[in-house]
Amino acid sequence: VSRCARRCCVSKRLSSLSFRPVAAMSTLLINQPKYTWLKELGLSEDNGGVFNGTWGGKGEVVTSYCPANNEPIARVRQHYAYERFLQIPAPKRGEIVRQIGDALRKKIKVLGSLVSLEMGKIYVEGVGEVQEYVDVCDYAVGLSRMIGGPVLPSERPGHALIEQWNPVGLVGIITAFNFPVAVYGWNNAIALICGNVCLWKGAPTTPLTSVAVTKIVAEVLEQNNLPGAICSMTCGGADIGSAIAKDKQVDLVSFTGSTHVGKQVALMVQERFGKGLLELGGNNAIIVFEDADLNLVVPSALFASVGTAGQRCTTTRRLMLHESVHDEVVERLVKAYKQVRIGDPWDPSTLYGPLHTKQAVQQYLNAVEQAKQQGGTLVCGGKVMDRPGNYVEPTIFTGLAHDAPIVHTETFVPILYVIKFKTEEEAFTWNNEVKQGLSSSIFTKDMGRVFRWLGPKGSDCGIVNVNIPTSGAEIGGAFGGEKHTGGGRESGSDSWKQYMRRSTCTINYSKDLPLAQGIKFE
């Protein structure tokens, strides 16, 4: 097999990052008997944070911390490098991706435990996130035998008109802390079957997860006599992300993160006429009409607003209630909030864990104060919990105006703003008035209303649901949103097209040279 290699190295020192001091070896969780399972993932006290066929790193040494107790887990050295793509037939690439999925299945519990330990989400969500990667691998295997363009009717005799799809080349994948496995999986599995090579920069606060996933993928590639550099990885901060966005050798930049940073990435990529895929913020709403089944509404709103401690891009942040059901839903939801089991993310009975960082705790406190100042009534939560780790109470506010500044702000914390409405037109308008357009949902039994909601005057979001919450999207559909959410699409449907370039091809198999539109040039 031939290999076309090209390498780009960035050797800037990561001086702009603000990490906590490097922890001594004796204090690391990885050396404690309770956490020996981390070594099953190939992790050690000190880990190379760069993979381009071999492990290394020449940059700053950072320590990964556990959000549940703020204790150090292990250390990672940052930097990056990558190698170019190896071309093999799409179905063969699908077979490689199938093997990656099987390798992830074998490590699903231990890898899910690491996600829980390092990110802070509860164990079942950590395992569920790895399952998403597995599911996308299964999906991509079938897709590898289906991708392609149509044969179109030509207006000229003796001519064939076809679409040809080819890989873009190198896909730079920049992911966020809240889904440190799944979002890479959505991009990686689809990019690989399309024929691309990947360079992954995970979040600087979840480097061990990035290392562990890359070790699993690299082992599969090497078992198939393919260079592990096909799926390269770097640990680093904003300067590494900027280097990826600016580098002309990176053909597609897939960025998941905040709208603020996503705009900067988009400008850097567009400045060099590169290709970008953005999956940014969401200020998602559930709208509950007077005919809704409240037995569906309450658990849906609870899961979508409290799940992952409010740190999903699809988290429900606005709950719009028809005035006739407002008081009952609030009463039932507050009761449900108070029954949420808060605790150790690795305890199977826990439903709600910590925020990811101390900075997020401060953002939570700031948002609570702003909501009060803007006229909100605190009906549940509102305080930092007195226990180790980054725990805050899941919180509900009522009484805020639909267009209050805090309501229009995506705060990545478990705060739900409950808004009372009167008419369908009012509710649909309020849903669409925020800058983001990721996910939305209504609860109703009125089929006419359902199709108005799905139609041109309904939701302007990329995900438009009925009688289910805003979170928990399936991998078979295209995932992404409109407006300040970025417009990108990942995972299912025809999202694969974003990882390829299209050529329209006309083939003349006749002995004549007719021109299109009947033009004569003689």
Side-chain angles (χ1 to χ4, degrees):
V1 181
S2 63
R3 179 171 65 186
C4 176
R6 72 181 179 187
R7 173 170 295 196
C8 174
C9 297
V10 173
S11 56
K12 300 176 185 175
R13 181 166 177 79
L14 308 180
S15 56
S16 62
L17 304 177
S18 56
F19 293 99
R20 283 168 278 191
V22 175
M25 185 176 296
S26 60
T27 65
L28 298 174
L29 293 183
I30 196 169
N31 289 320
Q32 297 181 16
K34 182 179 178 181
Y35 302 101
T36 55
W37 52 267
L38 287 167
K39 296 179 181 180
E40 295 179 31
L41 293 166
L43 299 174
S44 59
E45 295 88 353
D46 293 282
N47 301 273
V50 177
F51 181 76
N52 66 340
T54 58
W55 288 94
K58 297 179 181 179
E60 183 175 348
V61 176
V62 298
T63 303
S64 177
Y65 287 82
C66 172
N69 53 33
N70 283 318
E71 293 184 18
I73 305 170
R75 294 184 292 264
V76 176
R77 185 175 291 276
Q78 305 181 126
H79 188 42
Y80 95 85
Y82 63 77
E83 284 200 15
R84 183 74 173 156
F85 170 56
L86 209 79
Q87 186 121 24
I88 53 179
K92 298 286 187 182
R93 296 193 294 263
E95 167 59 18
I96 303 301
V97 171
R98 184 194 67 78
Q99 293 176 35
I100 291 173
D102 285 348
L104 289 164
R105 281 187 179 91
K106 294 175 183 177
K107 298 282 188 179
I108 192 167
K109 291 184 178 180
V110 67
L111 188 54
S113 295
L114 175 59
V115 171
S116 179
L117 181 70
E118 191 172 42
M119 186 271 157
K121 62 178 61 177
I122 61 175
Y123 171 72
V124 292
E125 287 186 328
V127 172
E129 183 176 341
V130 182
Q131 185 64 51
E132 278 197 58
Y133 194 170
V134 172
D135 291 345
V136 174
C137 285
D138 288 346
Y139 174 82
V141 173
L143 190 63
S144 70
R145 294 182 179 272
M146 298 168 63
I147 55 174
V151 176
L152 303 166
S154 173
E155 65 183 65
R156 290 173 281 187
H159 286 60
L161 185 62
I162 66 172
E163 276 187 5
Q164 176 71 30
W165 291 82
N166 290 301
V168 294
L170 174 65
V171 178
I173 304 168
I174 304 173
T175 60
F177 75 88
N178 59 331
F179 281 87
V181 174
V183 174
Y184 175 64
W186 297 346
N187 285 273
N188 172 251
I190 305 300
L192 285 179
I193 65 99
C194 289
N196 301 294
V197 64
C198 300
L199 168 61
W200 178 25
K201 192 200 86 67
T205 53
T206 55
L208 296 175
T209 300
S210 299
V211 171
V213 170
T214 301
K215 284 179 178 289
I216 292 170
V217 174
E219 184 176 0
V220 172
L221 294 171
E222 289 160 4
Q223 287 172 351
N224 285 272
N225 297 316
L226 297 172
I230 287 174
C231 294
S232 296
M233 185 276 298
T234 172
C235 293
D239 56 344
I240 301 299
S242 295
I244 292 173
K246 293 177 179 178
D247 195 328
K248 294 180 180 180
Q249 295 182 96
V250 182
D251 301 285
L252 167 66
V253 177
S254 173
F255 175 84
T256 300
S258 70
T259 297
H260 172 71
V261 178
K263 183 177 181 180
Q264 296 175 14
V265 170
L267 290 172
M268 286 185 279
V269 173
Q270 185 58 45
E271 188 175 28
R272 61 178 176 87
F273 289 97
K275 190 173 183 180
L277 192 169
L278 300 177
E279 202 284 283
L280 309 177
N283 194 343
N284 315 296
I286 288 177
I287 303 173
V288 180
F289 287 94
E290 65 273 19
D291 63 339
D293 182 346
L294 300 189
N295 291 326
L296 292 179
V297 169
V298 174
S300 293
L302 178 70
F303 169 73
S305 57
V306 170
T308 323
Q311 297 170 110
R312 290 173 177 247
C313 52
T314 53
T315 291
T316 296
R317 310 202 182 278
R318 299 177 295 151
L319 178 61
M320 300 183 192
L321 302 175
H322 188 269
E323 58 185 359
S324 65
V325 297
H326 176 275
D327 293 350
E328 181 182 354
V329 172
V330 170
E331 180 182 354
R332 291 175 63 173
L333 193 57
V334 169
K335 183 179 179 180
Y337 263 55
K338 291 180 178 178
Q339 294 174 347
V340 171
R341 295 184 297 277
I342 301 171
D344 188 330
W346 314 294
D347 184 336
S349 66
T350 298
L351 294 178
Y352 176 94
L355 292 176
H356 184 55
T357 63
K358 292 180 180 179
Q359 290 84 355
V361 174
Q362 189 58 51
Q363 290 171 4
Y364 167 87
L365 290 172
N366 293 344
V368 168
E369 186 59 32
Q370 290 178 50
K372 290 177 180 178
Q373 293 174 357
Q374 293 171 26
T377 300
L378 179 66
V379 296
C380 183
K383 297 191 295 291
V384 175
M385 300 183 69
D386 184 16
R387 58 175 295 160
N390 307 318
Y391 287 85
V392 301
E393 295 177 342
T395 299
I396 301 175
F397 275 97
T398 61
L400 283 159
H402 66 90
D403 56 355
I406 191 62
V407 173
H408 278 212
T409 301
E410 182 197 21
T411 309
F412 226 58
V413 294
I415 300 178
L416 180 66
Y417 305 113
V418 180
I419 301 162
K420 186 185 296 186
F421 73 90
K422 293 182 179 180
T423 68
E424 175 186 304
E425 182 181 4
E426 192 174 57
F428 286 8
T429 300
W430 293 355
N431 176 79
N432 296 345
E433 70 182 1
V434 297
K435 292 181 178 180
Q436 302 88 347
L438 179 53
S439 187
S440 57
S441 181
I442 62 169
F443 282 77
T444 185
K445 297 173 185 175
D446 184 332
M447 292 307 296
R449 178 179 291 135
V450 167
F451 283 96
R452 289 191 294 274
W453 172 244
L454 302 179
K457 293 186 177 181
S459 174
D460 64 0
C461 295
I463 299 171
V464 183
N465 293 336
V466 178
N467 295 330
I468 64 167
T470 57
S471 57
E474 297 183 25
I475 62 98
F479 183 90
E482 302 300 323
K483 303 187 297 187
H484 284 217
T485 302
R489 292 299 186 275
E490 297 170 329
S491 192
S493 186
D494 66 349
S495 299
W496 62 269
K497 292 181 178 179
Q498 302 214 48
Y499 303 88
M500 305 193 82
R501 57 179 177 82
R502 169 169 34 193
S503 301
T504 300
C505 310
T506 305
I507 303 163
N508 181 2
Y509 56 89
S510 73
K511 295 182 179 180
D512 299 316
L513 192 64
L515 301 178
Q517 292 83 47
I519 294 174
K520 301 292 184 181
F521 196 79
E522 298 174 349

